[in-house]
Amino acid sequence: MGGGATRILSIVFPLAADSVRFTSGFGDPRDGGKRSHKGQDLFCPRWTPILAAVNGTVDWIATARPKKGKGYELLLRGDDGNLYFYAHLNNDDPGTLDNAAPPTYAYARGLKNGDRVAAGSIIGYVGDSGDAEQSGPHLHFEIHIAKWGNAIDPAPSLRRALERRHAG
């Protein structure tokens, strides 16, 4: 699929908040046009719980504090065969903006690589790690169809997931 083609997947909205501002659209240029934005940025308060969008397996999380300039991220391999990427998880110790928190403040308690998660379960917490310090706390969310590098715009799926939440 790829190339940003419109496709709507049945997912759970990946935040435990309804008041979310979508910005930094799919395909927007980054780094002076050297790359493009492969997801949507969902701005909301720091520490907002991040939810698994689908049933699946945690494919990758950081097990140590990232190097300077890098952030806490999570890759969820969905049972639907797609990949869900979450970035800018929390990197601040509680009550601070120190950028020095260990992974225990980025991810759900006890979460580790290879864990099975259910759609809607808490997998992490919103922050501003990595290159998001200047823009503020938000979740960067991507969907890749079948394999990494086959990104689609997640906005239609995210909007549909919010509609279902509000209807339910």
Side-chain angles (χ1 to χ4, degrees):
M1 174 124 271
T6 300
R7 183 163 175 185
I8 299 176
L9 302 180
S10 181
I11 63 172
V12 169
F13 192 71
L15 293 168
D18 291 339
S19 181
V20 174
R21 181 173 49 97
F22 287 58
T23 62
S24 301
F26 184 83
D28 289 351
R30 294 290 190 269
D31 295 331
K34 293 178 186 165
R35 63 182 180 93
S36 66
H37 196 246
K38 298 296 184 194
Q40 289 289 331
D41 290 339
L42 309 171
F43 285 81
C44 62
R46 184 179 315 278
W47 291 103
T48 298
I50 297 171
L51 310 176
V54 295
N55 295 333
T57 303
V58 175
D59 198 61
W60 185 88
I61 63 172
T63 57
R65 202 161 60 105
K67 294 178 182 173
K68 185 173 175 62
K70 298 294 182 183
Y72 286 115
E73 302 170 341
L74 183 147
L75 184 64
L76 176 62
R77 187 171 298 279
D79 290 352
D80 62 0
N82 301 315
L83 299 172
Y84 299 85
F85 180 67
Y86 303 74
H88 306 309
L89 280 67
N90 181 65
N91 66 338
D92 296 312
D93 285 304
T96 76
L97 297 177
D98 65 2
N99 303 323
T104 52
Y105 293 119
Y107 306 106
R109 176 174 276 169
L111 191 68
K112 60 189 179 311
N113 293 319
D115 280 355
R116 295 276 309 149
V117 296
S121 61
I122 296 173
I123 57 175
Y125 301 95
V126 170
D128 59 4
S129 66
D131 63 0
E133 292 293 330
Q134 297 303 314
S135 55
H138 68 280
L139 172 64
H140 171 88
F141 182 76
E142 297 180 13
I143 299 173
H144 294 258
I145 302 298
K147 64 180 182 171
W148 187 258
N150 204 18
I152 63 167
D153 184 355
S157 299
L158 290 165
R159 287 190 183 95
R160 181 71 53 86
L162 261 183
E163 290 169 5
R164 277 195 309 277
R165 180 189 286 173
H166 292 150

